[in-house]
Amino acid sequence: MTGVLAGVASAGVLLQFYLSLRLASANGQSLAFGVVSYFGYFTILTNLLVCLALALPLLARASAGGRLFERPSVAAGVATSIAFVGLAYHLLLRHIWAPQGLQWLADVLLHYAVPASYVLYWWFALPKGALRWTDPLVWSAYPGVYLAYALARGAAIGSYPYPFIDVSAIGYGQAMINALGLLIAYIGLGLVVVSLGKVKARYNKE
């Protein structure tokens, strides 16, 4: 099961990488621009995180990375992050474009198939351990660092990955308000994940 899910997640990120390079070429931009654009999205980075979370414990369990991703708090943080990707896309972004062909397939893999599959994998296959109510605050450092990266990248190249943090269109004030709202939503989702983990751990002991 782990290998299959890792393959699906890898297929999604590799397909989108190819499409990003193809789009850059079609628009007369360099391949380097395509790479920079590709790595600008929270969706891509989080799907890559899922790939690591699945592959390292499977292929290099004794390594530092393998041990890290086997920790219940880390696995739950990955589940929260990829669930956030799916929910945020479905609620905020899916209506702004209509992908076709291979882009539609990449869209489904990255925003629906991988998020749903990894959350189910976390629920059924991974140990929950002693998750703490403060864990979502720790996990929120990930989207927080991403926000700083996305804003710095946007200021450097004049392009922002998401409309709700597009400073050039809505200004820093509104972008920060939007980001704060999303961060609160992320922490709230994390608390739901912790709650579910505690319920599952208690059930498994009975």
Side-chain angles (χ1 to χ4, degrees):
M1 180 179 180
T2 305
V4 172
L5 182 51
V8 172
S10 299
V13 295
L14 289 173
L15 176 58
Q16 187 57 60
F17 185 67
Y18 161 72
L19 293 172
S20 295
L21 296 183
R22 189 177 74 172
L23 178 63
S25 178
N27 290 336
Q29 297 160 332
S30 68
L31 294 182
F33 183 88
V35 172
V36 170
S37 177
Y38 173 78
F39 285 107
Y41 290 91
F42 188 78
T43 292
I44 294 299
L45 298 177
T46 307
N47 274 268
L48 287 169
L49 182 64
V50 168
C51 290
L52 290 175
L54 293 166
L56 287 178
L58 182 65
L59 302 176
R61 189 171 188 177
S63 68
R67 295 194 302 271
L68 174 68
F69 284 112
E70 283 194 323
R71 290 171 54 184
S73 61
V74 174
V78 175
T80 298
S81 297
I82 196 64
F84 185 76
V85 164
L87 290 171
Y89 177 80
H90 186 75
L91 296 174
L92 301 176
L93 297 170
R94 67 184 175 90
H95 65 283
I96 67 176
W97 74 324
Q100 303 292 324
L102 288 178
Q103 186 59 69
W104 174 85
L105 177 59
D107 185 68
V108 170
L109 289 172
L110 295 170
H111 297 111
Y112 293 105
V114 173
S117 298
Y118 188 82
V119 170
L120 289 173
Y121 174 75
W122 170 78
W123 177 255
F124 287 108
L126 296 180
K128 306 302 178 288
L131 296 177
R132 299 171 297 179
W133 294 112
T134 56
D135 281 340
L137 294 176
V138 177
W139 303 336
S140 68
Y142 169 52
V145 169
Y146 169 77
L147 173 64
Y149 159 68
L151 293 178
R153 171 187 172 278
I157 68 174
S159 176
Y160 295 84
Y162 299 108
F164 41 77
I165 57 169
D166 187 348
V167 171
S168 62
I170 62 176
Y172 273 102
Q174 188 60 54
M176 295 308 295
I177 291 172
N178 293 345
L180 179 60
L182 288 168
L183 187 62
I184 291 172
Y186 178 94
I187 293 171
L189 179 60
L191 291 172
V192 172
V193 169
V194 170
S195 300
L196 292 173
K198 286 181 175 294
V199 169
K200 182 72 168 179
R202 188 179 304 116
Y203 174 80
N204 289 340
K205 288 180 180 179
E206 295 177 355

